[in-house]
């Protein structure tokens, strides 16, 4: 059954315009601040040179959203993930608030994978107990939990027990599928009755180093979504060539929105998805030692946020 807020906002989501510019990160409409790793100060907000076609900063977007009446059944959304979620979190929050009137909380941790958000494993984890997925679900009672994980494959995450893609591929996929199943179970179990959240599995973009790995990780997400009544948000397709979902590119032709906003369409009708020195992340600002929401207008982040928002809207 479609929820009452869907009819009035889905069309707007599909045509999202002046939202999604970076600002302060980790803010929540009604809950405590996100982890220290996800916070950023006002001084870190994106303030690019003003231009006639530059969109308004995200602080203005959020103020406008706060001034609009919130739909009676606006969704509550919890966003968890790794460094991709860390850099995306502010833009996604702006899209969800502006397009759906959503109440939003984000708690990403860079370098993590699915097992880091599991409760009760007794394993070393990069996510503290207070921010485990099920813990946050019990506290926040979200309607949707959005999960975005690249699929750490290089042994950086302690809870993976040293299982890596290059040394033990099938073991890596088996473990990843098991963790996806367990995390979905814990998230669903932390809800109650009709209040159990739906999980939005974000499919990842192309990987130029191990393209088949991402294809199979996305397959795990899709299978888990089907098995547990979840939702698929193919954000990775938005940052891949239309003709080849799993071919990595640094730039793509600008969308109509990007063409009308030069801050996103930076050269010869093409939008930069990655920095030249970072094939993985989509933030066009340099990587820093301390993880942060992206402080630069970045086409790839905006594209993915729009697709995730579209998936949440359609799921209602």
């Amino acid at each position: 059954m479609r929820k009452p807020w869907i009819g009035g906002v889905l069309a707007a989501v599909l045509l999202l315009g002046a939202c999604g510019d970076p600002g302060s990160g980790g803010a929540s409409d009604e809950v405590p601040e996100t982890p220290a790793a996800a916070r950023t100060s006002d001084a870190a907000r994106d303030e690019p040179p003003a231009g006639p076609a530059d969109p308004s900063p995200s602080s203005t977007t959020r103020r406008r959203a706060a001034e609009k009446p919130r739909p009676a059944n606006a969704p509550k959304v919890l966003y968890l993930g790794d460094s991709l979620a860390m850099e995306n979190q502010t833009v996604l929050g702006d899209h969800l608030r502006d397009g759906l009137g959503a109440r939003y909380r984000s708690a990403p941790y860079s370098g993590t994978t699915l097992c880091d958000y599991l409760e009760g494993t007794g394993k070393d984890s990069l996510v503290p107990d207070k921010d485990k997925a099920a813990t946050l679900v019990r506290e926040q009672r979200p309607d949707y939990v959005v999960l975005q994980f690249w699929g750490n494959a290089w042994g950086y995450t302690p809870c993976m027990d040293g299982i890596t893609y290059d040394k033990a591929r099938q073991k890596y996929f088996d473990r990843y599928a098991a963790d996806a199943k367990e995390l979905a179970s814990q998230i669903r179990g932390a809800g109650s009755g009709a209040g159990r959240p739906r999980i939005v599995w974000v499919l990842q973009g192309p990987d130029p180093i191990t393209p088949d790995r991402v294809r199979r990780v996305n397959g795990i997400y899709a299978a888990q979504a089907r098995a547990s009544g979840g939702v698929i948000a193919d954000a990775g397709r938005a940052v891949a060539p239309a003709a080849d979902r799993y071919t990595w590119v640094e730039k793509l032709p600008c969308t109509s929105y990007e063409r009308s906003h030069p801050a996103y369409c930076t050269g010869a009708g093409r939008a930069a998805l990655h920095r030249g020195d970072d094939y993985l992340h989509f933030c066009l600002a340099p990587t820093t030692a301390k993880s942060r929401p992206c402080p630069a207008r970045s086409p790839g982040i905006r594209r993915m946020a729009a697709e995730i928002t579209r998936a949440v809207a359609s799921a209602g």
Side-chain angles (χ1 to χ4, degrees), residues 152-245:
N152 185 295
W154 304 281
Y156 178 72
T157 307
C159 66
M160 283 292 287
D161 299 319
I163 300 171
T164 61
Y165 174 77
D166 60 334
K167 294 180 180 178
R169 294 190 180 186
Q170 192 54 53
K171 191 174 183 181
Y172 164 79
F173 290 122
D174 289 346
R175 171 63 185 277
Y176 210 73
D179 287 345
K181 181 178 180 180
E182 179 61 21
L183 186 58
S185 177
Q186 289 193 8
I187 289 171
R188 294 280 293 166
S192 58
R196 289 180 177 175
R198 294 188 72 185
I199 300 172
V200 180
W201 296 91
V202 180
L203 305 190
Q204 300 307 295
D207 180 349
I209 307 302
T210 57
D212 186 59
R213 185 194 66 82
V214 165
R215 188 191 306 269
R216 292 187 63 180
V217 164
N218 283 347
I220 289 171
Y221 293 158
Q224 187 56 54
R226 290 190 298 269
S228 56
V231 178
I232 296 171
D234 195 356
R237 185 176 295 278
V239 292
D244 192 342
R245 169 67 175 78

Side-chain angles (χ1 to χ4, degrees), residues 13-303:
V13 172
L14 297 176
L15 298 173
L16 269 170
C19 64
D21 299 309
S24 63
S28 169
D29 292 343
E30 57 178 19
V31 295
E33 212 171 11
T34 51
R39 298 174 192 154
T40 187
S41 67
D42 287 347
R45 292 182 178 179
D46 177 35
E47 296 292 347
D54 275 352
S56 301
S58 62
S59 55
T60 302
T61 301
R62 284 195 291 276
R63 186 174 65 249
R64 287 200 203 106
E67 291 169 354
K68 294 190 300 183
R70 187 183 300 238
N73 291 316
K76 293 182 70 174
V77 181
L78 174 63
Y79 184 40
L80 308 176
D82 56 18
S83 59
L84 295 181
M86 174 66 76
E87 66 183 12
N88 293 353
Q89 61 182 309
T90 299
V91 177
L92 178 59
D94 286 344
H95 273 70
L96 289 166
R97 293 186 189 99
D98 192 66
L100 306 182
R103 290 165 289 178
Y104 173 76
R105 165 75 186 266
S106 59
Y109 284 84
S110 294
T112 56
T113 193
L114 300 174
C115 59
D116 283 293
Y117 281 90
L118 290 172
E119 286 187 325
T121 65
K123 296 179 180 293
D124 289 339
S125 173
L126 301 179
V127 175
D129 289 346
K130 68 183 181 65
D131 288 320
K132 299 295 190 182
T135 300
L136 291 175
V137 168
R138 284 189 290 269
E139 291 175 356
Q140 308 304 325
R141 300 297 181 189
D143 300 301
Y144 297 93
V145 178
V146 179
L147 301 177
Q148 182 164 17
F149 292 89
W150 178 249
N152 185 295
W154 304 281
Y156 178 72
T157 307
C159 66
M160 283 292 287
D161 299 319
I163 300 171
T164 61
Y165 174 77
D166 60 334
K167 294 180 180 178
R169 294 190 180 186
Q170 192 54 53
K171 191 174 183 181
Y172 164 79
F173 290 122
D174 289 346
R175 171 63 185 277
Y176 210 73
D179 287 345
K181 181 178 180 180
E182 179 61 21
L183 186 58
S185 177
Q186 289 193 8
I187 289 171
R188 294 280 293 166
S192 58
R196 289 180 177 175
R198 294 188 72 185
I199 300 172
V200 180
W201 296 91
V202 180
L203 305 190
Q204 300 307 295
D207 180 349
I209 307 302
T210 57
D212 186 59
R213 185 194 66 82
V214 165
R215 188 191 306 269
R216 292 187 63 180
V217 164
N218 283 347
I220 289 171
Y221 293 158
Q224 187 56 54
R226 290 190 298 269
S228 56
V231 178
I232 296 171
D234 195 356
R237 185 176 295 278
V239 292
D244 192 342
R245 169 67 175 78
Y246 286 98
T247 293
W248 184 93
V249 292
E250 185 177 338
K251 299 179 180 180
L252 282 175
C254 294
T255 64
S256 59
Y257 177 87
E258 291 160 357
R259 286 193 297 273
S260 66
H261 295 83
Y264 291 96
C265 191
T266 53
R270 299 182 71 79
L273 303 179
H274 305 274
R275 289 173 54 85
D277 59 356
D278 187 344
Y279 74 87
L280 170 58
H281 297 97
F282 293 88
C283 182
L284 297 184
T287 301
T288 58
K290 184 176 180 180
S291 299
R292 58 179 179 170
C294 183
R297 291 186 173 97
S298 302
I301 288 177
R302 189 183 182 282
R303 290 180 181 212

